[in-house]
Amino acid sequence: MITGYSDRINHAFAFAAKHHDRQVRKGTRLPYLTHPANVAVILTRYGQDEDTVVAGILHDVIEDCVREHYTREMLEQRIGEKFGAGVLETVLAVTQRRVDDDGVELSSEERKDDYLERLARASDRARWVCAADKIHNGSSILADLKRTIDPATIWSRFNVGREGTIRWYRRVHDRLAELGFDAPIMAELKGVVEALEAWGAKEAAAEGEAKPPVVPRASFLGANPPERDASRS
């Protein structure tokens, strides 16, 4: 458990701030750094150690900050040198890969499948970061939904839409549970996933009620066919 000031955590925030500079949260003007900061807060609430909190702060750097002057390899090297091999290993475990071990580019859905598959080989520290990451992202979606009069503007931030987004959070929770990760944070993650599912079901029901009734097209199936005009034979 962390108590008092941590220079490594302070350094991690500075490192993340530099690399997430000018990035904002999807569909908002919030600095992106608010996300890793909240992940760190969640991990600290559960009494996680310094390396886990540092990895939580840095968990999106390799995935989101490859750009001019910074390759993936450079970012990996910098994190390893500054924060240690253990932190780097945790960050890599929760980073979606764009290519597989053979260098084949992965589609968006394949990246998610790969992420879930690699959780089997991940440490408990990485699974803690994974859970905290999804708790903050899912909770942010719920908070934004409660503030808007047009939920579509929230779901449109995500390429997979409402159903795909909710299904992804369910898949992550269920994968962690399947792997036997039963840390206390799982109860909170389960609550977030169930709240998203309930919200999605409520929206779907409301959309169904708002749709005009469907008038069936005329059909002769199961009815007597019209009599044929014998004069045209």
Side-chain angles (χ1 to χ4, degrees):
M1 181 181 295
I2 303 166
T3 58
Y5 173 77
S6 166
D7 193 55
R8 287 184 76 228
I9 289 176
N10 185 58
H11 189 185
F13 273 122
F15 187 90
K18 173 182 178 179
H19 289 284
H20 288 299
D21 182 38
R22 300 184 184 179
Q23 293 180 354
V24 295
R25 296 280 282 161
K26 282 183 179 180
T28 77
R29 296 181 181 178
L30 288 173
Y32 194 85
L33 191 64
T34 59
H35 172 56
N38 274 280
V39 170
V41 169
I42 292 168
L43 292 168
T44 303
R45 278 200 291 111
Y46 284 97
Q48 292 305 289
D49 64 16
E50 188 177 70
D51 273 2
T52 307
V53 174
V54 168
I57 295 168
L58 303 175
H59 77 276
D60 274 337
V61 169
I62 293 174
E63 185 171 323
D64 293 341
C65 299
V66 173
R67 54 187 174 181
E68 187 179 1
H69 305 309
Y70 290 105
T71 64
R72 179 188 172 103
E73 292 72 22
M74 290 171 64
L75 291 171
E76 289 182 17
Q77 181 180 356
R78 286 170 63 83
I79 290 174
E81 290 175 350
K82 290 178 178 292
F83 303 100
V87 168
L88 175 60
E89 179 184 354
T90 301
V91 170
L92 289 174
V94 295
T95 295
Q96 288 194 19
R97 302 191 300 177
R98 296 186 179 276
V99 296
D100 65 14
D101 293 330
D102 298 321
V104 177
E105 188 170 351
L106 302 172
S107 68
S108 176
E109 283 304 308
E110 288 171 337
R111 289 199 295 270
K112 291 178 179 178
D113 292 341
D114 176 70
Y115 176 94
L116 295 177
E117 192 278 327
R118 288 187 296 112
L119 282 176
R121 303 186 296 276
S123 64
D124 272 2
R125 176 176 286 142
R127 294 171 186 176
W128 271 97
V129 173
C130 169
D133 172 36
K134 299 304 178 286
I135 285 171
H136 180 247
N137 278 336
S139 298
S140 295
I141 293 171
L142 287 165
D144 288 345
L145 287 169
K146 292 172 184 176
R147 281 192 289 260
T148 185
I149 60 173
D150 185 5
T153 62
I154 308 301
W155 299 118
S156 65
R157 299 172 184 172
F158 309 102
N159 293 334
V160 293
R162 181 179 67 206
E163 289 76 13
T165 300
I166 295 171
R167 185 167 58 250
W168 169 238
Y169 285 93
R170 168 54 68 184
R171 290 181 69 196
V172 173
H173 170 273
D174 290 356
R175 177 60 168 163
L176 289 171
E178 174 190 331
L179 294 170
F181 184 65
D182 59 356
I185 196 172
M186 286 293 285
E188 185 174 1
L189 178 58
K190 180 181 180 182
V192 170
V193 173
E194 290 178 347
L196 285 168
E197 289 173 337
W199 194 286
K202 181 178 70 174
E203 283 186 11
E207 290 167 0
E209 292 172 1
K211 289 180 180 178
V214 177
V215 178
R217 296 177 63 182
S219 171
F220 294 116
L221 293 176
N224 294 326
E227 293 184 3
R228 185 179 178 188
D229 187 348
S231 64
R232 297 186 182 181
S233 298

